[in-house]
Amino acid sequence: EVQLVESGGGLVKPGGSLRLSCAASGFIFSSYSMNWVRQAPGKGLEWVSSMTGSSGYIYYADSVKGRFTISRDNAKNSVNLQMNNLRAEDTAVYYCARGGSTHDYWGQGTLVTVSS
Amino acid sequence: EIVLTQSPGTLSLSPGERATLSCRASQSVSNNYLAWYQQKPGQAPRLLIYGASSRATGIPDRFSGSGSGTDFTLTISRLEPEDFAVYSCQQYDRSPYTFGQGTKLEIK
């Protein structure tokens, strides 16, 4: 059974940092691109970042470029999102999702709140 | 970037009725690289449709997708109580892979 479990969310002050992690199981992790998608309270979904299975290609939304860094450890079946210089508008539930185009499996999400 | 506009914002229907949800793209989506997701409160999105018209694994056949170019439709033939949720479209033709703002399907 495919499982994605996010962790690392919490309350952080503007300008602060957080590191999100997603632990994957139930599939050959290195064969899949992995993504972070977020959803601000009461809003729609917003793709944040993607990384291909071999880590050869990395993509970011313009809204996070230069502040967020995606990484993965295929030996540990995990993907991470280092978030620096956080802003109020980064407040959202962050989901880890599998798949380079459509996202066929999602984690339950982790809430990031940026507030003073 | 490709902007996806969904309509209506809210759709009020009764179980057993037919639901038709629209997703319009600001530019043509090549190869019908358009997906639909269902999301219930407090839950992660679930992939329903990919390639504009192919059902994902385990999705009932009352869900169908159609369209091409800039206009796409999700149809639920006969609404079941568990179908009341928010539905979002996503294009994966061109990065960034954008989502629509969602259509809330509520019980009338």
Side-chain angles (χ1 to χ4, degrees), chain A residues 9-88:
Chain A
L11 175 64
V12 62
K13 289 181 168 52
S17 298
L18 272 180
R19 182 178 177 85
L20 306 184
S21 295
C22 172
S25 61
F27 63 101
I28 301 174
F29 182 72
S30 59
S31 296
Y32 288 86
S33 292
M34 295 299 296
N35 310 268
W36 289 96
V37 178
R38 67 185 180 184
Q39 187 168 37
K43 302 295 185 183
L45 298 163
E46 178 189 16
W47 168 79
V48 172
S49 183
S50 296
M51 189 172 212
T52 57
S54 61
S55 306
Y57 294 95
I58 292 174
Y59 307 93
Y60 296 101
D62 286 346
S63 58
V64 307
K65 203 172 292 183
R67 301 186 299 122
F68 290 12
T69 303
I70 192 172
S71 62
R72 64 189 294 160
D73 185 336
N74 286 342
K76 295 183 178 179
N77 289 355
S78 65
V79 59
N80 305 300
L81 187 68
Q82 177 66 43
M83 305 186 295
N84 297 331
N85 191 19
L86 283 160
R87 307 166 179 166

Side-chain angles (χ1 to χ4, degrees), chain B residues 43-61:
Chain B
Q43 296 185 17
R46 176 173 75 145
L47 177 64
L48 297 176
I49 301 287
Y50 63 94
S53 60
S54 298
R55 276 187 299 277
T57 303
I59 302 304
D61 60 7

Side-chain angles (χ1 to χ4, degrees), chain A residues 39 95 100-103 106-107, chain B residues 37 39 43-45 90 92 97 99:
Chain A
Q39 187 168 37
Y95 294 101
S101 50
T102 56
H103 309 318
W106 298 62
Chain B
Y37 297 85
Q39 188 176 22
Q43 296 185 17
Q90 177 214 12
Y92 51 99
Y97 294 164
F99 291 87

Side-chain angles (χ1 to χ4, degrees), chain B residues 36-105:
Chain B
W36 290 93
Y37 297 85
Q38 176 194 66
Q39 188 176 22
K40 297 179 181 178
Q43 296 185 17
R46 176 173 75 145
L47 177 64
L48 297 176
I49 301 287
Y50 63 94
S53 60
S54 298
R55 276 187 299 277
T57 303
I59 302 304
D61 60 7
R62 64 180 181 274
F63 291 91
S64 64
S66 62
S68 64
T70 60
D71 289 295
F72 298 88
T73 300
L74 174 70
T75 301
I76 310 171
S77 58
R78 285 181 58 85
L79 286 166
E80 298 286 342
E82 63 267 27
D83 297 336
F84 292 90
V86 174
Y87 293 83
S88 299
C89 57
Q90 177 214 12
Q91 65 81 21
Y92 51 99
D93 175 31
R94 247 169 286 173
S95 183
Y97 294 164
T98 46
F99 291 87
Q101 83 281 12
T103 289
K104 182 180 180 181
L105 178 56

Side-chain angles (χ1 to χ4, degrees), chain B residues 13-47:
Chain B
L13 293 170
S14 300
E17 291 193 291
R18 180 185 186 90
T20 303
L21 288 66
S22 173
C23 176
R24 178 162 290 178
S26 61
Q27 306 169 46
S28 182
V29 177
S30 302
N31 302 304
N32 287 342
Y33 284 165
L34 193 287
W36 290 93
Y37 297 85
Q38 176 194 66
Q39 188 176 22
K40 297 179 181 178
Q43 296 185 17
R46 176 173 75 145
L47 177 64

